[in-house]
Amino acid sequence: MDVIQYLDSGTIVAVYPLAGNETVIGYNVLADPTTNKEVMEAVLRKDVFFSGPIHLKQGGVGIVGRYPIFENEKLKGLSAIIIYMETIFEAGKLNDDPDGDFTIKLTKINPNTRELENYIPSDDKSIATGFLASSPIDIGNWTLSVQLKKK
């Protein structure tokens, strides 16, 4: 985890670390049409849901995990964490190596554009033709796929 946030209803009221993240204080994720669909996914599930990857208000790109907090069945707020994409790529060794034997893809249908997006950058322009294995990751509506480049 790179950043922790607390949201009162849908507004960010606390963030740690504060340094470098000051710009998000007062930001209402439920009022923003670029974020509210995935925030509401967490609320409807009444469970953690990971949004993105998204361009963050404080800069950079990351995945935001939000957990709704209810009081008497009414949404009280959300706790949130941000994991920067660089952290995920380093920890998971998810770099798509153009000289490697397989490709790795993390894809998702963008809830706003309805387009399929691939979140692992690749310089490899060749078409993979080997065995493909894919697995859904429900907590973010992603699909992780690994495919041999050659049969």
Side-chain angles (χ1 to χ4, degrees):
M1 290 184 293
D2 294 300
V3 179
I4 301 170
Q5 300 172 337
Y6 174 71
L7 294 82
D8 183 0
S9 297
T11 302
I12 300 171
V13 295
V15 62
Y16 178 84
L18 181 59
N21 294 297
E22 299 90 348
T23 59
V24 301
I25 300 293
Y27 170 53
N28 186 331
V29 297
L30 286 172
D32 186 340
T34 64
T35 57
N36 65 4
K37 288 179 180 72
E38 291 190 301
V39 176
M40 285 307 299
E41 184 75 26
V43 173
L44 293 172
R45 290 180 182 209
K46 293 187 176 184
D47 202 357
V48 69
F49 185 78
F50 286 85
S51 302
I54 59 173
H55 292 279
L56 302 165
K57 291 283 182 198
Q58 63 268 52
V61 176
I63 290 176
V64 182
R66 295 183 183 92
Y67 186 81
I69 302 166
F70 291 92
E71 185 176 280
N72 299 323
E73 296 300 313
K74 184 176 185 320
L75 180 66
K76 174 93 173 146
L78 298 124
S79 61
I81 59 134
I82 295 173
I83 308 169
Y84 292 115
M85 292 306 289
E86 310 87 65
T87 302
I88 293 170
F89 289 155
E90 285 176 22
K93 298 185 177 22
L94 292 177
N95 298 319
D96 196 12
D97 180 5
D99 298 323
D101 294 331
F102 55 89
T103 63
I104 302 171
K105 289 189 171 40
L106 180 65
T107 58
K108 177 180 192 168
I109 301 287
N110 182 307
N112 296 313
T113 65
R114 305 303 303 157
E115 293 181 17
L116 181 67
E117 295 181 354
N118 181 27
Y119 299 109
I120 299 178
S122 175
D123 293 331
D124 190 2
K125 303 298 180 212
S126 64
I127 306 271
T129 59
F131 177 77
L132 170 68
S134 295
S135 180
I137 304 174
D138 294 333
I139 62 170
N141 289 345
W142 300 297
T143 300
L144 180 64
S145 302
V146 178
Q147 185 170 18
L148 287 172
K149 289 185 178 178
K150 297 179 184 171
K151 291 185 180 182

PDB file of all heavy atoms in Angstrom, residues 86-123:
ATOM      1  N   GLU A  86       3.523   1.206 -10.415  1.00  0.00           N
ATOM      2  CA  GLU A  86       4.931   0.806 -10.349  1.00  0.00           C
ATOM      3  C   GLU A  86       5.158  -0.218  -9.241  1.00  0.00           C
ATOM      4  O   GLU A  86       5.929  -1.153  -9.388  1.00  0.00           O
ATOM      5  CB  GLU A  86       5.858   2.005 -10.074  1.00  0.00           C
ATOM      6  CG  GLU A  86       5.682   3.221 -10.935  1.00  0.00           C
ATOM      7  CD  GLU A  86       4.624   4.180 -10.393  1.00  0.00           C
ATOM      8  OE1 GLU A  86       4.766   4.773  -9.310  1.00  0.00           O
ATOM      9  OE2 GLU A  86       3.629   4.337 -11.100  1.00  0.00           O
ATOM     10  N   THR A  87       4.472  -0.028  -8.116  1.00  0.00           N
ATOM     11  CA  THR A  87       4.587  -0.953  -6.988  1.00  0.00           C
ATOM     12  C   THR A  87       4.085  -2.340  -7.394  1.00  0.00           C
ATOM     13  O   THR A  87       4.712  -3.351  -7.088  1.00  0.00           O
ATOM     14  CB  THR A  87       3.775  -0.437  -5.775  1.00  0.00           C
ATOM     15  OG1 THR A  87       4.245   0.862  -5.422  1.00  0.00           O
ATOM     16  CG2 THR A  87       3.888  -1.371  -4.595  1.00  0.00           C
ATOM     17  N   ILE A  88       2.954  -2.373  -8.093  1.00  0.00           N
ATOM     18  CA  ILE A  88       2.377  -3.650  -8.527  1.00  0.00           C
ATOM     19  C   ILE A  88       3.293  -4.338  -9.521  1.00  0.00           C
ATOM     20  O   ILE A  88       3.548  -5.537  -9.423  1.00  0.00           O
ATOM     21  CB  ILE A  88       0.975  -3.430  -9.117  1.00  0.00           C
ATOM     22  CG1 ILE A  88       0.027  -2.977  -8.009  1.00  0.00           C
ATOM     23  CG2 ILE A  88       0.459  -4.697  -9.805  1.00  0.00           C
ATOM     24  CD1 ILE A  88      -1.309  -2.497  -8.497  1.00  0.00           C
ATOM     25  N   PHE A  89       3.815  -3.586 -10.494  1.00  0.00           N
ATOM     26  CA  PHE A  89       4.689  -4.178 -11.510  1.00  0.00           C
ATOM     27  C   PHE A  89       5.960  -4.741 -10.878  1.00  0.00           C
ATOM     28  O   PHE A  89       6.406  -5.830 -11.228  1.00  0.00           O
ATOM     29  CB  PHE A  89       5.060  -3.159 -12.583  1.00  0.00           C
ATOM     30  CG  PHE A  89       3.910  -2.797 -13.490  1.00  0.00           C
ATOM     31  CD1 PHE A  89       3.897  -1.586 -14.136  1.00  0.00           C
ATOM     32  CD2 PHE A  89       2.849  -3.653 -13.699  1.00  0.00           C
ATOM     33  CE1 PHE A  89       2.847  -1.228 -14.974  1.00  0.00           C
ATOM     34  CE2 PHE A  89       1.800  -3.318 -14.532  1.00  0.00           C
ATOM     35  CZ  PHE A  89       1.800  -2.106 -15.173  1.00  0.00           C
ATOM     36  N   GLU A  90       6.536  -4.003  -9.924  1.00  0.00           N
ATOM     37  CA  GLU A  90       7.757  -4.465  -9.268  1.00  0.00           C
ATOM     38  C   GLU A  90       7.491  -5.688  -8.395  1.00  0.00           C
ATOM     39  O   GLU A  90       8.198  -6.686  -8.490  1.00  0.00           O
ATOM     40  CB  GLU A  90       8.364  -3.350  -8.416  1.00  0.00           C
ATOM     41  CG  GLU A  90       9.046  -2.278  -9.223  1.00  0.00           C
ATOM     42  CD  GLU A  90       9.553  -1.135  -8.344  1.00  0.00           C
ATOM     43  OE1 GLU A  90       9.751  -1.342  -7.125  1.00  0.00           O
ATOM     44  OE2 GLU A  90       9.741  -0.031  -8.892  1.00  0.00           O
ATOM     45  N   ALA A  91       6.471  -5.608  -7.542  1.00  0.00           N
ATOM     46  CA  ALA A  91       6.188  -6.694  -6.603  1.00  0.00           C
ATOM     47  C   ALA A  91       5.742  -7.963  -7.324  1.00  0.00           C
ATOM     48  O   ALA A  91       6.106  -9.068  -6.934  1.00  0.00           O
ATOM     49  CB  ALA A  91       5.116  -6.264  -5.604  1.00  0.00           C
ATOM     50  N   GLY A  92       4.944  -7.805  -8.380  1.00  0.00           N
ATOM     51  CA  GLY A  92       4.422  -8.964  -9.101  1.00  0.00           C
ATOM     52  C   GLY A  92       5.260  -9.385 -10.283  1.00  0.00           C
ATOM     53  O   GLY A  92       4.924 -10.347 -10.977  1.00  0.00           O
ATOM     54  N   LYS A  93       6.365  -8.656 -10.523  1.00  0.00           N
ATOM     55  CA  LYS A  93       7.215  -8.929 -11.683  1.00  0.00           C
ATOM     56  C   LYS A  93       6.353  -9.037 -12.944  1.00  0.00           C
ATOM     57  O   LYS A  93       6.459  -9.983 -13.712  1.00  0.00           O
ATOM     58  CB  LYS A  93       8.059 -10.177 -11.461  1.00  0.00           C
ATOM     59  CG  LYS A  93       9.012 -10.038 -10.291  1.00  0.00           C
ATOM     60  CD  LYS A  93       9.918 -11.225 -10.154  1.00  0.00           C
ATOM     61  CE  LYS A  93      10.928 -11.153  -9.072  1.00  0.00           C
ATOM     62  NZ  LYS A  93      10.827 -10.332  -7.960  1.00  0.00           N
ATOM     63  N   LEU A  94       5.482  -8.051 -13.131  1.00  0.00           N
ATOM     64  CA  LEU A  94       4.513  -8.071 -14.226  1.00  0.00           C
ATOM     65  C   LEU A  94       4.946  -7.268 -15.439  1.00  0.00           C
ATOM     66  O   LEU A  94       4.121  -6.762 -16.180  1.00  0.00           O
ATOM     67  CB  LEU A  94       3.160  -7.542 -13.742  1.00  0.00           C
ATOM     68  CG  LEU A  94       2.434  -8.412 -12.740  1.00  0.00           C
ATOM     69  CD1 LEU A  94       1.145  -7.740 -12.295  1.00  0.00           C
ATOM     70  CD2 LEU A  94       2.129  -9.771 -13.340  1.00  0.00           C
ATOM     71  N   ASN A  95       6.225  -7.138 -15.658  1.00  0.00           N
ATOM     72  CA  ASN A  95       6.674  -6.448 -16.855  1.00  0.00           C
ATOM     73  C   ASN A  95       6.587  -7.402 -18.030  1.00  0.00           C
ATOM     74  O   ASN A  95       7.016  -8.544 -17.957  1.00  0.00           O
ATOM     75  CB  ASN A  95       8.110  -5.954 -16.679  1.00  0.00           C
ATOM     76  CG  ASN A  95       8.206  -4.952 -15.551  1.00  0.00           C
ATOM     77  OD1 ASN A  95       7.342  -4.102 -15.411  1.00  0.00           O
ATOM     78  ND2 ASN A  95       9.237  -5.065 -14.742  1.00  0.00           N
ATOM     79  N   ASP A  96       6.002  -6.934 -19.120  1.00  0.00           N
ATOM     80  CA  ASP A  96       5.872  -7.759 -20.317  1.00  0.00           C
ATOM     81  C   ASP A  96       7.190  -7.682 -21.073  1.00  0.00           C
ATOM     82  O   ASP A  96       7.468  -6.712 -21.768  1.00  0.00           O
ATOM     83  CB  ASP A  96       4.704  -7.274 -21.174  1.00  0.00           C
ATOM     84  CG  ASP A  96       4.290  -8.300 -22.203  1.00  0.00           C
ATOM     85  OD1 ASP A  96       4.728  -9.458 -22.116  1.00  0.00           O
ATOM     86  OD2 ASP A  96       3.515  -7.933 -23.102  1.00  0.00           O
ATOM     87  N   ASP A  97       8.025  -8.706 -20.918  1.00  0.00           N
ATOM     88  CA  ASP A  97       9.367  -8.749 -21.488  1.00  0.00           C
ATOM     89  C   ASP A  97       9.299  -9.082 -22.980  1.00  0.00           C
ATOM     90  O   ASP A  97       8.874 -10.176 -23.355  1.00  0.00           O
ATOM     91  CB  ASP A  97      10.173  -9.810 -20.741  1.00  0.00           C
ATOM     92  CG  ASP A  97      11.595  -9.949 -21.242  1.00  0.00           C
ATOM     93  OD1 ASP A  97      12.004  -9.164 -22.119  1.00  0.00           O
ATOM     94  OD2 ASP A  97      12.298 -10.847 -20.744  1.00  0.00           O
ATOM     95  N   PRO A  98       9.731  -8.156 -23.873  1.00  0.00           N
ATOM     96  CA  PRO A  98       9.660  -8.435 -25.307  1.00  0.00           C
ATOM     97  C   PRO A  98      10.538  -9.614 -25.723  1.00  0.00           C
ATOM     98  O   PRO A  98      10.294 -10.238 -26.757  1.00  0.00           O
ATOM     99  CB  PRO A  98      10.125  -7.140 -25.964  1.00  0.00           C
ATOM    100  CG  PRO A  98      10.704  -6.295 -24.908  1.00  0.00           C
ATOM    101  CD  PRO A  98      10.249  -6.828 -23.583  1.00  0.00           C
ATOM    102  N   ASP A  99      11.547  -9.952 -24.914  1.00  0.00           N
ATOM    103  CA  ASP A  99      12.420 -11.087 -25.238  1.00  0.00           C
ATOM    104  C   ASP A  99      11.989 -12.369 -24.534  1.00  0.00           C
ATOM    105  O   ASP A  99      12.600 -13.417 -24.731  1.00  0.00           O
ATOM    106  CB  ASP A  99      13.862 -10.761 -24.849  1.00  0.00           C
ATOM    107  CG  ASP A  99      14.406  -9.563 -25.614  1.00  0.00           C
ATOM    108  OD1 ASP A  99      14.060  -9.424 -26.811  1.00  0.00           O
ATOM    109  OD2 ASP A  99      15.145  -8.758 -25.016  1.00  0.00           O
ATOM    110  N   GLY A 100      10.943 -12.297 -23.736  1.00  0.00           N
ATOM    111  CA  GLY A 100      10.479 -13.469 -22.998  1.00  0.00           C
ATOM    112  C   GLY A 100       9.684 -14.429 -23.866  1.00  0.00           C
ATOM    113  O   GLY A 100       9.373 -14.153 -25.029  1.00  0.00           O
ATOM    114  N   ASP A 101       9.320 -15.575 -23.282  1.00  0.00           N
ATOM    115  CA  ASP A 101       8.594 -16.619 -24.005  1.00  0.00           C
ATOM    116  C   ASP A 101       7.084 -16.434 -23.964  1.00  0.00           C
ATOM    117  O   ASP A 101       6.362 -17.128 -24.668  1.00  0.00           O
ATOM    118  CB  ASP A 101       8.937 -18.003 -23.422  1.00  0.00           C
ATOM    119  CG  ASP A 101      10.391 -18.373 -23.658  1.00  0.00           C
ATOM    120  OD1 ASP A 101      10.964 -17.913 -24.666  1.00  0.00           O
ATOM    121  OD2 ASP A 101      10.954 -19.117 -22.828  1.00  0.00           O
ATOM    122  N   PHE A 102       6.593 -15.525 -23.127  1.00  0.00           N
ATOM    123  CA  PHE A 102       5.142 -15.360 -23.009  1.00  0.00           C
ATOM    124  C   PHE A 102       4.779 -13.900 -22.797  1.00  0.00           C
ATOM    125  O   PHE A 102       5.629 -13.072 -22.476  1.00  0.00           O
ATOM    126  CB  PHE A 102       4.590 -16.221 -21.868  1.00  0.00           C
ATOM    127  CG  PHE A 102       5.249 -15.987 -20.541  1.00  0.00           C
ATOM    128  CD1 PHE A 102       4.765 -15.027 -19.674  1.00  0.00           C
ATOM    129  CD2 PHE A 102       6.366 -16.718 -20.164  1.00  0.00           C
ATOM    130  CE1 PHE A 102       5.380 -14.789 -18.460  1.00  0.00           C
ATOM    131  CE2 PHE A 102       6.983 -16.490 -18.941  1.00  0.00           C
ATOM    132  CZ  PHE A 102       6.488 -15.522 -18.088  1.00  0.00           C
ATOM    133  N   THR A 103       3.509 -13.595 -23.004  1.00  0.00           N
ATOM    134  CA  THR A 103       2.992 -12.250 -22.759  1.00  0.00           C
ATOM    135  C   THR A 103       2.098 -12.289 -21.523  1.00  0.00           C
ATOM    136  O   THR A 103       1.481 -13.317 -21.226  1.00  0.00           O
ATOM    137  CB  THR A 103       2.165 -11.716 -23.939  1.00  0.00           C
ATOM    138  OG1 THR A 103       1.028 -12.545 -24.121  1.00  0.00           O
ATOM    139  CG2 THR A 103       2.975 -11.673 -25.213  1.00  0.00           C
ATOM    140  N   ILE A 104       2.036 -11.174 -20.837  1.00  0.00           N
ATOM    141  CA  ILE A 104       1.163 -11.043 -19.673  1.00  0.00           C
ATOM    142  C   ILE A 104       0.242  -9.867 -19.946  1.00  0.00           C
ATOM    143  O   ILE A 104       0.694  -8.802 -20.382  1.00  0.00           O
ATOM    144  CB  ILE A 104       1.975 -10.768 -18.392  1.00  0.00           C
ATOM    145  CG1 ILE A 104       2.975 -11.876 -18.137  1.00  0.00           C
ATOM    146  CG2 ILE A 104       1.049 -10.577 -17.199  1.00  0.00           C
ATOM    147  CD1 ILE A 104       3.960 -11.574 -17.021  1.00  0.00           C
ATOM    148  N   LYS A 105      -1.051 -10.058 -19.686  1.00  0.00           N
ATOM    149  CA  LYS A 105      -2.013  -8.986 -19.870  1.00  0.00           C
ATOM    150  C   LYS A 105      -2.916  -8.891 -18.638  1.00  0.00           C
ATOM    151  O   LYS A 105      -3.373  -9.903 -18.124  1.00  0.00           O
ATOM    152  CB  LYS A 105      -2.879  -9.227 -21.098  1.00  0.00           C
ATOM    153  CG  LYS A 105      -2.145  -9.069 -22.412  1.00  0.00           C
ATOM    154  CD  LYS A 105      -3.125  -9.104 -23.559  1.00  0.00           C
ATOM    155  CE  LYS A 105      -2.594  -8.771 -24.870  1.00  0.00           C
ATOM    156  NZ  LYS A 105      -1.487  -9.057 -25.476  1.00  0.00           N
ATOM    157  N   LEU A 106      -3.144  -7.676 -18.199  1.00  0.00           N
ATOM    158  CA  LEU A 106      -4.133  -7.381 -17.169  1.00  0.00           C
ATOM    159  C   LEU A 106      -5.139  -6.467 -17.851  1.00  0.00           C
ATOM    160  O   LEU A 106      -4.824  -5.334 -18.193  1.00  0.00           O
ATOM    161  CB  LEU A 106      -3.496  -6.687 -15.965  1.00  0.00           C
ATOM    162  CG  LEU A 106      -4.451  -6.322 -14.828  1.00  0.00           C
ATOM    163  CD1 LEU A 106      -5.033  -7.577 -14.184  1.00  0.00           C
ATOM    164  CD2 LEU A 106      -3.740  -5.468 -13.791  1.00  0.00           C
ATOM    165  N   THR A 107      -6.334  -6.991 -18.103  1.00  0.00           N
ATOM    166  CA  THR A 107      -7.324  -6.252 -18.876  1.00  0.00           C
ATOM    167  C   THR A 107      -8.599  -6.045 -18.075  1.00  0.00           C
ATOM    168  O   THR A 107      -8.864  -6.745 -17.097  1.00  0.00           O
ATOM    169  CB  THR A 107      -7.670  -6.997 -20.182  1.00  0.00           C
ATOM    170  OG1 THR A 107      -8.149  -8.294 -19.866  1.00  0.00           O
ATOM    171  CG2 THR A 107      -6.472  -7.090 -21.095  1.00  0.00           C
ATOM    172  N   LYS A 108      -9.375  -5.072 -18.547  1.00  0.00           N
ATOM    173  CA  LYS A 108     -10.634  -4.751 -17.897  1.00  0.00           C
ATOM    174  C   LYS A 108     -11.466  -3.928 -18.869  1.00  0.00           C
ATOM    175  O   LYS A 108     -10.931  -3.129 -19.635  1.00  0.00           O
ATOM    176  CB  LYS A 108     -10.343  -3.936 -16.638  1.00  0.00           C
ATOM    177  CG  LYS A 108     -11.557  -3.466 -15.880  1.00  0.00           C
ATOM    178  CD  LYS A 108     -11.095  -2.669 -14.666  1.00  0.00           C
ATOM    179  CE  LYS A 108     -12.212  -2.415 -13.713  1.00  0.00           C
ATOM    180  NZ  LYS A 108     -11.733  -1.912 -12.436  1.00  0.00           N
ATOM    181  N   ILE A 109     -12.770  -4.120 -18.802  1.00  0.00           N
ATOM    182  CA  ILE A 109     -13.675  -3.244 -19.540  1.00  0.00           C
ATOM    183  C   ILE A 109     -13.801  -1.958 -18.718  1.00  0.00           C
ATOM    184  O   ILE A 109     -14.246  -1.995 -17.573  1.00  0.00           O
ATOM    185  CB  ILE A 109     -15.071  -3.887 -19.728  1.00  0.00           C
ATOM    186  CG1 ILE A 109     -14.988  -5.206 -20.478  1.00  0.00           C
ATOM    187  CG2 ILE A 109     -16.020  -2.896 -20.408  1.00  0.00           C
ATOM    188  CD1 ILE A 109     -14.703  -5.100 -21.945  1.00  0.00           C
ATOM    189  N   ASN A 110     -13.392  -0.840 -19.300  1.00  0.00           N
ATOM    190  CA  ASN A 110     -13.497   0.443 -18.607  1.00  0.00           C
ATOM    191  C   ASN A 110     -14.981   0.751 -18.398  1.00  0.00           C
ATOM    192  O   ASN A 110     -15.746   0.771 -19.361  1.00  0.00           O
ATOM    193  CB  ASN A 110     -12.826   1.535 -19.454  1.00  0.00           C
ATOM    194  CG  ASN A 110     -12.858   2.882 -18.795  1.00  0.00           C
ATOM    195  OD1 ASN A 110     -13.901   3.376 -18.383  1.00  0.00           O
ATOM    196  ND2 ASN A 110     -11.696   3.500 -18.717  1.00  0.00           N
ATOM    197  N   PRO A 111     -15.419   0.973 -17.147  1.00  0.00           N
ATOM    198  CA  PRO A 111     -16.842   1.174 -16.885  1.00  0.00           C
ATOM    199  C   PRO A 111     -17.406   2.460 -17.489  1.00  0.00           C
ATOM    200  O   PRO A 111     -18.616   2.576 -17.673  1.00  0.00           O
ATOM    201  CB  PRO A 111     -16.935   1.215 -15.361  1.00  0.00           C
ATOM    202  CG  PRO A 111     -15.579   1.585 -14.906  1.00  0.00           C
ATOM    203  CD  PRO A 111     -14.624   1.047 -15.923  1.00  0.00           C
ATOM    204  N   ASN A 112     -16.539   3.408 -17.827  1.00  0.00           N
ATOM    205  CA  ASN A 112     -17.007   4.670 -18.406  1.00  0.00           C
ATOM    206  C   ASN A 112     -17.041   4.634 -19.929  1.00  0.00           C
ATOM    207  O   ASN A 112     -17.985   5.119 -20.532  1.00  0.00           O
ATOM    208  CB  ASN A 112     -16.142   5.838 -17.922  1.00  0.00           C
ATOM    209  CG  ASN A 112     -16.258   6.026 -16.426  1.00  0.00           C
ATOM    210  OD1 ASN A 112     -17.345   6.038 -15.868  1.00  0.00           O
ATOM    211  ND2 ASN A 112     -15.128   6.136 -15.756  1.00  0.00           N
ATOM    212  N   THR A 113     -16.005   4.057 -20.545  1.00  0.00           N
ATOM    213  CA  THR A 113     -15.932   4.040 -22.010  1.00  0.00           C
ATOM    214  C   THR A 113     -16.456   2.744 -22.605  1.00  0.00           C
ATOM    215  O   THR A 113     -16.707   2.671 -23.797  1.00  0.00           O
ATOM    216  CB  THR A 113     -14.479   4.215 -22.478  1.00  0.00           C
ATOM    217  OG1 THR A 113     -13.704   3.083 -22.054  1.00  0.00           O
ATOM    218  CG2 THR A 113     -13.870   5.502 -21.943  1.00  0.00           C
ATOM    219  N   ARG A 114     -16.585   1.710 -21.787  1.00  0.00           N
ATOM    220  CA  ARG A 114     -16.999   0.357 -22.203  1.00  0.00           C
ATOM    221  C   ARG A 114     -15.988  -0.293 -23.158  1.00  0.00           C
ATOM    222  O   ARG A 114     -16.300  -1.227 -23.869  1.00  0.00           O
ATOM    223  CB  ARG A 114     -18.396   0.335 -22.821  1.00  0.00           C
ATOM    224  CG  ARG A 114     -19.509   0.921 -21.963  1.00  0.00           C
ATOM    225  CD  ARG A 114     -19.683   0.303 -20.599  1.00  0.00           C
ATOM    226  NE  ARG A 114     -19.924  -1.126 -20.634  1.00  0.00           N
ATOM    227  CZ  ARG A 114     -19.684  -1.943 -19.622  1.00  0.00           C
ATOM    228  NH1 ARG A 114     -19.205  -1.480 -18.493  1.00  0.00           N
ATOM    229  NH2 ARG A 114     -19.913  -3.231 -19.717  1.00  0.00           N
ATOM    230  N   GLU A 115     -14.750   0.219 -23.174  1.00  0.00           N
ATOM    231  CA  GLU A 115     -13.697  -0.332 -24.021  1.00  0.00           C
ATOM    232  C   GLU A 115     -12.783  -1.232 -23.194  1.00  0.00           C
ATOM    233  O   GLU A 115     -12.542  -0.970 -22.015  1.00  0.00           O
ATOM    234  CB  GLU A 115     -12.878   0.791 -24.656  1.00  0.00           C
ATOM    235  CG  GLU A 115     -13.659   1.610 -25.659  1.00  0.00           C
ATOM    236  CD  GLU A 115     -12.811   2.707 -26.289  1.00  0.00           C
ATOM    237  OE1 GLU A 115     -11.573   2.641 -26.207  1.00  0.00           O
ATOM    238  OE2 GLU A 115     -13.416   3.639 -26.849  1.00  0.00           O
ATOM    239  N   LEU A 116     -12.271  -2.289 -23.856  1.00  0.00           N
ATOM    240  CA  LEU A 116     -11.318  -3.181 -23.205  1.00  0.00           C
ATOM    241  C   LEU A 116      -9.967  -2.478 -23.136  1.00  0.00           C
ATOM    242  O   LEU A 116      -9.463  -1.996 -24.151  1.00  0.00           O
ATOM    243  CB  LEU A 116     -11.190  -4.490 -23.988  1.00  0.00           C
ATOM    244  CG  LEU A 116     -10.245  -5.526 -23.389  1.00  0.00           C
ATOM    245  CD1 LEU A 116     -10.792  -6.053 -22.067  1.00  0.00           C
ATOM    246  CD2 LEU A 116     -10.035  -6.675 -24.365  1.00  0.00           C
ATOM    247  N   GLU A 117      -9.395  -2.407 -21.931  1.00  0.00           N
ATOM    248  CA  GLU A 117      -8.103  -1.762 -21.746  1.00  0.00           C
ATOM    249  C   GLU A 117      -7.095  -2.759 -21.195  1.00  0.00           C
ATOM    250  O   GLU A 117      -7.432  -3.605 -20.369  1.00  0.00           O
ATOM    251  CB  GLU A 117      -8.239  -0.572 -20.791  1.00  0.00           C
ATOM    252  CG  GLU A 117      -9.119   0.533 -21.350  1.00  0.00           C
ATOM    253  CD  GLU A 117      -9.247   1.730 -20.420  1.00  0.00           C
ATOM    254  OE1 GLU A 117      -8.749   1.676 -19.272  1.00  0.00           O
ATOM    255  OE2 GLU A 117      -9.851   2.725 -20.851  1.00  0.00           O
ATOM    256  N   ASN A 118      -5.848  -2.646 -21.659  1.00  0.00           N
ATOM    257  CA  ASN A 118      -4.744  -3.476 -21.173  1.00  0.00           C
ATOM    258  C   ASN A 118      -3.850  -2.588 -20.312  1.00  0.00           C
ATOM    259  O   ASN A 118      -3.425  -1.527 -20.755  1.00  0.00           O
ATOM    260  CB  ASN A 118      -3.945  -4.074 -22.333  1.00  0.00           C
ATOM    261  CG  ASN A 118      -2.808  -4.951 -21.847  1.00  0.00           C
ATOM    262  OD1 ASN A 118      -2.860  -5.522 -20.765  1.00  0.00           O
ATOM    263  ND2 ASN A 118      -1.778  -5.059 -22.644  1.00  0.00           N
ATOM    264  N   TYR A 119      -3.569  -3.024 -19.084  1.00  0.00           N
ATOM    265  CA  TYR A 119      -2.851  -2.185 -18.139  1.00  0.00           C
ATOM    266  C   TYR A 119      -1.378  -2.540 -17.974  1.00  0.00           C
ATOM    267  O   TYR A 119      -0.708  -1.956 -17.140  1.00  0.00           O
ATOM    268  CB  TYR A 119      -3.548  -2.227 -16.778  1.00  0.00           C
ATOM    269  CG  TYR A 119      -4.960  -1.700 -16.872  1.00  0.00           C
ATOM    270  CD1 TYR A 119      -6.044  -2.549 -16.753  1.00  0.00           C
ATOM    271  CD2 TYR A 119      -5.205  -0.360 -17.114  1.00  0.00           C
ATOM    272  CE1 TYR A 119      -7.338  -2.067 -16.853  1.00  0.00           C
ATOM    273  CE2 TYR A 119      -6.495   0.128 -17.220  1.00  0.00           C
ATOM    274  CZ  TYR A 119      -7.559  -0.726 -17.080  1.00  0.00           C
ATOM    275  OH  TYR A 119      -8.834  -0.250 -17.194  1.00  0.00           O
ATOM    276  N   ILE A 120      -0.880  -3.485 -18.750  1.00  0.00           N
ATOM    277  CA  ILE A 120       0.542  -3.806 -18.684  1.00  0.00           C
ATOM    278  C   ILE A 120       1.164  -3.360 -20.005  1.00  0.00           C
ATOM    279  O   ILE A 120       0.875  -3.921 -21.058  1.00  0.00           O
ATOM    280  CB  ILE A 120       0.784  -5.310 -18.438  1.00  0.00           C
ATOM    281  CG1 ILE A 120       0.162  -5.706 -17.099  1.00  0.00           C
ATOM    282  CG2 ILE A 120       2.278  -5.616 -18.474  1.00  0.00           C
ATOM    283  CD1 ILE A 120       0.281  -7.168 -16.760  1.00  0.00           C
ATOM    284  N   PRO A 121       1.986  -2.314 -19.952  1.00  0.00           N
ATOM    285  CA  PRO A 121       2.573  -1.805 -21.195  1.00  0.00           C
ATOM    286  C   PRO A 121       3.462  -2.844 -21.861  1.00  0.00           C
ATOM    287  O   PRO A 121       4.111  -3.637 -21.186  1.00  0.00           O
ATOM    288  CB  PRO A 121       3.393  -0.601 -20.748  1.00  0.00           C
ATOM    289  CG  PRO A 121       3.300  -0.519 -19.278  1.00  0.00           C
ATOM    290  CD  PRO A 121       2.416  -1.609 -18.778  1.00  0.00           C
ATOM    291  N   SER A 122       3.465  -2.835 -23.182  1.00  0.00           N
ATOM    292  CA  SER A 122       4.267  -3.794 -23.927  1.00  0.00           C
ATOM    293  C   SER A 122       4.891  -3.113 -25.135  1.00  0.00           C
ATOM    294  O   SER A 122       4.225  -2.363 -25.839  1.00  0.00           O
ATOM    295  CB  SER A 122       3.395  -4.963 -24.394  1.00  0.00           C
ATOM    296  OG  SER A 122       4.140  -5.832 -25.206  1.00  0.00           O
ATOM    297  N   ASP A 123       6.170  -3.408 -25.355  1.00  0.00           N
ATOM    298  CA  ASP A 123       6.858  -2.924 -26.558  1.00  0.00           C
ATOM    299  C   ASP A 123       6.839  -3.984 -27.642  1.00  0.00           C
ATOM    300  O   ASP A 123       7.249  -3.746 -28.759  1.00  0.00           O
ATOM    301  CB  ASP A 123       8.315  -2.573 -26.231  1.00  0.00           C
ATOM    302  CG  ASP A 123       8.418  -1.371 -25.311  1.00  0.00           C
ATOM    303  OD1 ASP A 123       7.513  -0.515 -25.358  1.00  0.00           O
ATOM    304  OD2 ASP A 123       9.394  -1.287 -24.552  1.00  0.00           O
TER     305      ASP A 123
END
